[in-house]
Amino acid sequence: MWFTKVSDSVRDAQISIAAFLAAIALVLAAIISGFADNSERQLRDLRDTLRVSAVSGDIVIAEIDGRSLQELDKWPWPRGYFADAVQELDRLGAAQIAFDVEFSAQSDRNEDEKFAKALRELSQPTILPTFRQENLAGEKVVISEALPLEILRENAFLASVNVRAAADGQIKHYSYGETTFGVPRPSLANMLARTGGAVDESFRIDQAIDPLTIPRISFVDLIEGKVPRAAVAGKSIVFGNAAIELGDRYPTALFGVRPGVDIHVQAAETLKKGTIRGDMSPIPIVIGLALLVGGLAWSRARDPKPAFWKRATVSSVFASAVIVAIALIGDQLAWAYMPLFAPLLFVATFVIAKRTLGLVLNLQLARLTDSESGLPNRARMRQVVAKLDSPVIAAARIADYSDLLAMLTSDQQTQLDLAIARRLALLDGVEEVFRIESGIFGWVMGGYDQNETAEDVAEEIFSTAKTLFNAPVDVDGERVRVSMHYGMAQGDIAHAVDASELARRKGFVWSGNAAALHEETQYRQRLLGELDEALLDGSISVVFQPKLGFASGQVSGGECLVRWKSAQLGHVSPADFIPLLEEKGRVHDLTLFVMREAIRRQKEAADAGYPLTLAVNVSAQLLDNFVFIEMAVQDLIAAGCREKGGITLEITESAPLQDSETAKRALTQLREAGARISIDDYGTGQATLNYLQDFPAQEIKLDQSFIRDLVDDRKDQIMVQSTIDLAHALGFEIVAEGVETQEILDILAGLGCDYAQGWHVGKPMAWEDFFSQLGTVPVSVSAGKSAAA
Ligand code: C2E
Ligand code: MG
Ligand code: MG
């Protein structure tokens, strides 16, 4: 999804091109290194096994076999034996007689004569072999040539029987004819097959011709007259060595090691069958295939919904099947040999490379993408950031994310993520919005000029971002209010995230100070650790701040405020540790502690004849806490508050009373147990008097912020005046907090306020000091000086 910049089809085309080039490179390497040739040879043997065929049967081998050697004793045989053999063949009506046996050396003169005479008297000339060998003598190549004895060759045709083995020892090629002693002569196979062909040109022996099917007669049977006429009449007979002890054996591709004479017959049969085929070069085939496959891949990449057969794998496999079929048909019909290895290597490499690349890319994509929303994730952001030179990074953190999560289904959460990312993407210079972790998004801030500092830009961007989220986000038809805290840092994603957390804790829109979070966190960690003991070891104490009753002109009560003097941390303000305890859900112990202190002191004062009301601060959060309410109720009842009163509970309304029904029920319980209920810091929260009307409260405490500037600020005067009037009309008493001067006190008296609290009346003090001042008049009030005047 986030990869939309590079569309799927373009990516597919890129993969195809890479796979294509890889395939071409591999094929070239295989051809150049000879690997393709080697493999092709093996493939060829394999293909030949599919078309193994028997010989024509027109050429018969007269074998000088092991049995003949045994039965005819002494080797080399007297040449008279050969005379007998050819005479017998002639008598039986052989069409052609040839020898793959060397007769170049002189033997017994009589015997040679016998053989020469027999040859002379045959009805047609015999074929005798000529050899030509190239031997290495030191550095020089010495050519040795051999012809049959002159008296023998006078009445014979001469044919060359030279063969050259390839590197693997096999004889693959056979010549039509060769020159010996300066005379060009046809090869033995050529003469047996009675074909033509140019001297020094060769052809490939058809390895699929099965030499085991060549008809054979044994030399000894022949000269003993045991060979039936039918076996040789009208046939070409070749004498050759077959006995293992005579050597002259060569490996064949499909039929093991065979006597040399078998190879000659195999070659002759190749000529007779005409299964001589030219070899095609693999290169044009590969090029043709590459064009086909490449073209298909290309047309597929441009096609958003490619047909099944256009898919790279399918079309490649199909193209290969066609090529294999053509090649095999070519084999059967002996058109030409079409190489398959290089073309198949090309297709296989292309398909495998394309698949692998696609897979790797998808895996990589998955690693860099948030699985739910499909947004680029932190890993992806890290990748982007790493490429930039110290970029400024922004993080946006959803406030109260856990509450939001509780409210939304997981589907809606995903939609919310996407909607937020879309909205953030509207900000100036945001190219890509990353989902760093759940509830936290990020982007790289860019495109500001050198005159501006990162702070200036952040201030501007984040205040715009804030307004972006003024409107609720639409999630599945539901309108969700989202507020964000932002963080900024140079070069480090984690720092930007930390800064956003700091902003959240401090209630700022944004922060660029990641380091402060660490100090904060450390400090909070220490606070929490020490608070556990503080309640026990007495380092937490309660001070009392007097409240002046305008009606009586005397101290009518006081507010209990906690003080903590930590051995390690020094004086710690409740403004620091109370919110921390609230956040960790551990404020109830402290509150019960203060309440018990208040009850104890209230009784002490009452016993001394001063019926005070002491106020205890209760976090609104505690109203949800049934255990706390139960314990507080019991304490209040036990102290007899139901009868005598004396305790006020100030509800610190920091967040709007979430579940107002539960809160009302809890407050009613506390009130029935004898507590007066007061709404603290009125005017700073969202509660209006109208809203509070059906709360079981008796008192409203106007926040200091309205009182402080009362002398000069006309708007505050109007606000205070109207609040007092309305509160009275609704039956609430009014306390003004933060009264620091006589002037303010006087104004408040004029406005009809009921109680005043503040440094001018008395600072928070230890109980002993507070107690000793009871009964005195702390300040005088001249109610006549109305500010409204
Ligand atoms: P609060 O309940 O609004 O308490 C009044 C705060 O204003 C006290 O600060 C007090 O010292 C201060 N103050 C009183 N007169 C003046 C004045 O004339 N000028 C100025 N500038 N300040 C004045 P403190 O003691 O630091 O307490 C801060 C807050 O901590 C309290 O605000 C209250 O919300 C919370 N708190 C204190 N004690 C407790 C407690 O026992 N339980 C709970 N839940 N919260 C407490
Ligand atoms: Mg208070
Ligand atoms: Mg207050």
Side-chain angles (χ1 to χ4, degrees):
M1 237 194 263
W2 55 277
F3 238 91
T4 39
K5 273 190 222 153
V6 181
S7 73
D8 274 0
S9 64
V10 172
R11 198 154 7 106
D12 194 72
Q14 286 170 345
I15 293 174
S16 290
I17 291 170
F20 189 82
L21 294 178
I24 293 278
L26 193 70
V27 167
L28 279 181
I31 290 176
I32 291 167
S33 68
F35 178 74
D37 251 9
N38 256 319
S39 308
E40 187 64 53
R41 210 168 297 138
Q42 288 171 18
L43 203 60
R44 180 177 211 134
D45 291 347
L46 195 70
R47 282 163 63 177
D48 279 343
T49 58
L50 295 178
R51 40 180 288 276
V52 166
S53 63
V55 294
S56 65
D58 295 343
I59 304 171
V60 178
I61 295 177
E63 288 186 324
I64 301 171
D65 54 0
R67 191 161 62 87
S68 304
L69 289 186
Q70 251 172 21
E71 292 180 17
L72 296 174
D73 58 69
K74 57 179 176 207
W75 179 261
W77 290 332
R79 292 206 168 131
Y81 286 6
F82 292 102
D84 295 348
V86 293
Q87 277 165 348
E88 174 67 0
L89 283 177
D90 203 38
R91 194 182 65 78
L92 293 172
Q96 197 179 29
I97 302 171
F99 282 89
D100 179 26
V101 178
E102 194 179 351
F103 295 114
S104 58
Q106 204 130 31
S107 72
D108 181 287
R109 185 173 261 289
N110 264 340
E111 294 294 323
D112 288 348
E113 278 294 346
K114 260 195 219 166
F115 188 30
K117 181 168 173 282
L119 292 182
R120 207 177 306 130
E121 288 168 358
L122 289 179
S123 53
Q124 49 160 320
T126 311
I127 302 162
L128 295 180
T130 70
F131 294 89
R132 178 192 160 95
Q133 281 176 4
E134 288 169 8
N135 293 319
L136 267 183
E139 303 257 294
K140 272 201 287 181
V141 179
V142 177
I143 295 172
S144 66
E145 296 180 314
L147 292 177
L149 284 181
E150 194 168 349
I151 52 163
L152 298 180
R153 68 175 185 257
E154 274 172 347
N155 294 294
F157 293 133
L158 296 186
S160 71
V161 291
N162 305 322
V163 288
R164 269 167 225 91
D168 55 6
Q170 294 179 14
I171 292 157
K172 297 276 168 64
H173 291 93
Y174 196 97
S175 61
Y176 288 100
E178 284 186 17
T179 305
T180 19
F181 289 105
V183 182
R185 308 178 204 273
S187 63
L188 177 58
N190 203 354
M191 292 198 77
L192 288 172
R194 301 172 204 273
T195 48
V199 169
D200 291 336
E201 260 178 33
S202 61
F203 60 92
R204 179 179 270 276
I205 300 173
D206 186 351
Q207 302 293 332
I209 293 175
D210 184 354
L212 303 173
T213 59
I214 303 169
R216 293 157 204 272
I217 53 175
S218 178
F219 190 93
V220 65
D221 289 346
L222 184 63
I223 59 173
E224 287 176 359
K226 290 182 190 160
V227 172
R229 171 175 289 270
V232 293
K235 311 246 163 121
S236 301
I237 315 299
V238 199
F239 287 88
N241 298 323
I244 290 176
E245 46 270 62
L246 298 177
D248 188 21
R249 299 167 80 83
Y250 301 91
T252 61
L254 307 183
F255 305 99
V257 177
R258 301 302 308 165
V261 66
D262 280 25
I263 310 288
H264 291 293
V265 175
Q266 208 184 23
E269 292 283 353
T270 305
L271 290 172
K272 281 168 84 78
K273 289 195 170 191
T275 51
I276 297 165
R277 300 174 288 156
D279 278 13
M280 288 171 68
S281 159
I283 291 170
I285 303 173
V286 171
I287 291 175
L289 204 63
L291 289 176
L292 180 72
V293 169
L296 279 174
W298 183 248
S299 82
R300 179 226 140 137
R302 303 172 57 110
D303 190 346
K305 276 198 185 123
F308 173 75
W309 61 272
K310 268 195 183 177
R311 288 174 43 193
T313 324
V314 177
S315 56
S316 302
V317 168
F318 182 72
S320 323
V322 168
I323 284 204
V324 170
I326 293 174
L328 292 183
I329 292 171
D331 281 356
Q332 291 301 327
L333 303 182
W335 288 332
Y337 181 82
M338 184 164 153
L340 282 179
F341 181 77
L344 293 184
L345 180 68
F346 170 81
V347 176
T349 314
F350 176 74
V351 170
I352 293 170
K354 191 167 152 56
R355 291 249 134 175
T356 317
L357 278 174
L359 214 69
V360 166
L361 221 81
N362 274 342
L363 275 181
Q364 204 170 6
L365 210 65
R367 195 177 64 75
L368 300 175
T369 307
D370 170 52
S371 57
E372 243 96 85
S373 62
L375 289 168
N377 62 14
R378 187 184 200 130
R380 169 70 185 150
M381 188 173 187
R382 222 179 279 134
Q383 229 178 38
V384 169
V385 166
K387 285 191 202 126
L388 302 171
D389 180 28
S390 169
V392 179
I393 293 164
R397 173 190 293 270
I398 303 178
D400 306 318
Y401 189 53
S402 46
D403 292 346
L404 263 186
L405 285 191
M407 198 174 109
L408 301 175
T409 65
S410 69
D411 226 37
Q412 289 175 319
Q413 287 163 21
T414 304
Q415 287 188 32
L416 179 69
D417 281 349
L418 288 172
I420 289 175
R422 266 197 301 275
R423 221 172 259 197
L424 289 173
L426 298 175
L427 291 170
D428 246 9
V430 177
E431 279 197 19
E432 201 170 13
V433 176
F434 304 88
R435 183 177 181 277
I436 298 179
E437 51 188 81
S438 56
I440 303 177
F441 301 82
W443 67 91
V444 176
M445 302 216 294
Y448 59 89
D449 65 60
Q450 292 307 333
N451 303 331
E452 295 174 290
T453 64
E455 276 72 21
D456 292 342
V457 180
E459 180 62 47
E460 200 182 306
I461 289 277
F462 293 139
S463 51
T464 316
K466 188 173 150 63
T467 57
L468 271 183
F469 286 98
N470 280 348
V473 177
D474 189 81
V475 172
D476 223 0
E478 210 163 311
R479 293 161 72 73
V480 178
R481 240 171 223 294
V482 177
S483 83
M484 298 274 209
H485 297 285
Y486 301 91
M488 179 204 73
Q490 201 102 23
D492 193 323
I493 300 169
H495 287 172
V497 171
D498 286 351
S500 75
E501 169 63 10
L502 186 78
R504 184 188 71 80
R505 286 193 195 167
K506 297 279 182 196
F508 302 155
V509 173
W510 73 278
S511 163
N513 191 349
L517 178 76
H518 294 276
E519 287 162 28
E520 245 268 314
T521 309
Q522 270 178 350
Y523 179 69
R524 283 157 55 101
Q525 229 38 51
R526 284 182 62 187
L527 274 189
L528 273 176
E530 290 185 23
L531 266 171
D532 280 337
E533 285 163 39
L535 282 177
L536 304 172
D537 70 11
S539 61
I540 284 192
S541 58
V542 179
V543 291
F544 300 82
Q545 186 175 28
K547 282 185 191 170
L548 178 77
F550 282 112
S552 66
Q554 290 199 345
V555 172
S556 60
E559 179 173 5
C560 304
L561 295 162
V562 282
R563 290 293 173 263
W564 179 23
K565 185 166 187 288
S566 148
Q568 268 90 49
L569 301 165
H571 284 286
V572 185
S573 161
D576 280 341
F577 67 84
I578 298 288
L580 181 59
L581 286 178
E582 284 179 351
E583 194 178 303
K584 300 284 170 191
R586 283 163 55 182
V587 76
H588 63 277
D589 281 346
L590 179 97
T591 307
L592 285 175
F593 168 81
V594 178
M595 202 172 88
R596 283 166 194 165
E597 179 74 1
I599 288 171
R600 187 160 72 91
R601 296 307 189 189
Q602 197 276 336
K603 183 170 186 303
E604 193 180 327
D607 289 349
Y610 303 109
L612 299 172
T613 301
L614 290 182
V616 174
N617 290 290
V618 175
S619 316
Q621 190 196 67
L622 282 177
L623 299 182
D624 292 346
N625 185 332
F626 302 110
V627 180
F628 168 78
I629 298 296
E630 186 54 38
M631 291 176 82
V633 164
Q634 276 173 21
D635 281 358
L636 290 168
I637 291 174
C641 285
R642 223 190 320 220
E643 298 79 37
K644 295 178 277 172
I647 296 294
T648 296
L649 299 180
E650 295 184 4
I651 308 305
T652 344
E653 184 233 3
S654 46
L657 292 169
Q658 286 273 343
D659 181 352
S660 59
E661 284 316 309
T662 314
K664 271 185 223 167
R665 209 173 316 122
L667 288 176
T668 309
Q669 271 179 281
L670 291 168
R671 186 172 166 173
E672 281 169 0
R676 268 176 96 247
I677 305 295
S678 169
I679 304 296
D680 204 352
D681 300 341
Y682 178 78
T684 56
Q686 285 159 1
T688 60
L689 278 176
N690 263 340
Y691 169 78
L692 293 174
Q693 196 177 351
D694 34 80
F695 266 71
Q698 290 104 315
E699 183 182 278
I700 302 289
K701 282 188 86 171
L702 262 172
D703 191 70
Q704 323 190 351
S705 52
F706 303 103
I707 309 302
R708 210 175 291 132
D709 301 323
L710 205 53
V711 182
D712 305 314
D713 196 321
R714 180 85 189 139
K715 264 197 260 155
D716 280 354
Q717 289 169 12
I718 293 170
M719 147 80 186
V720 171
Q721 174 73 79
S722 57
T723 306
I724 290 174
D725 291 347
L726 187 57
H728 281 161
L730 294 172
F732 295 113
E733 289 188 297
I734 282 275
V735 186
E737 290 188 76
V739 179
E740 294 184 0
T741 62
Q742 180 66 41
E743 241 181 318
I744 295 176
L745 190 72
D746 291 342
I747 294 174
L748 286 169
L751 293 177
C753 187
D754 301 302
Y755 303 96
Q757 179 182 349
W759 293 345
H760 185 64
V761 178
K763 289 204 166 176
M765 59 190 88
W767 173 252
E768 288 70 30
D769 300 329
F770 184 88
F771 188 74
S772 66
Q773 285 183 17
L774 290 178
T776 65
V777 175
V779 282
S780 57
V781 184
S782 47
K785 283 193 190 167
S786 167

